[in-house]
Amino acid sequence: MSASSVEEPDELLAAAEARTGLSCPSCGSPHVAQVLGDNGGISYVCTACGHSWS
């Protein structure tokens, strides 16, 4: 596999952020991860400040 076909982690993160369109309601950061909640629901966590919500 050539190096040109591999995306950099920063590029992948930017693409994921663009798809979600979410930002942290606490700090406003776009660095938001989607996680599986306790009851099978979807929750979100900010990777910048640690705030979580659903």
Side-chain angles (χ1 to χ4, degrees), residues 1-8 11-12:
M1 182 161 45
S2 69
S4 63
S5 67
V6 176
E7 293 185 70
E8 294 296 320
E11 292 171 357
L12 292 173

Side-chain angles (χ1 to χ4, degrees), residues 1-33:
M1 182 161 45
S2 69
S4 63
S5 67
V6 176
E7 293 185 70
E8 294 296 320
D10 289 342
E11 292 171 357
L12 292 173
L13 181 59
E17 290 167 357
R19 282 192 301 271
T20 62
L22 293 172
S23 61
C24 176
S26 181
C27 73
S29 171
H31 298 279
V32 174

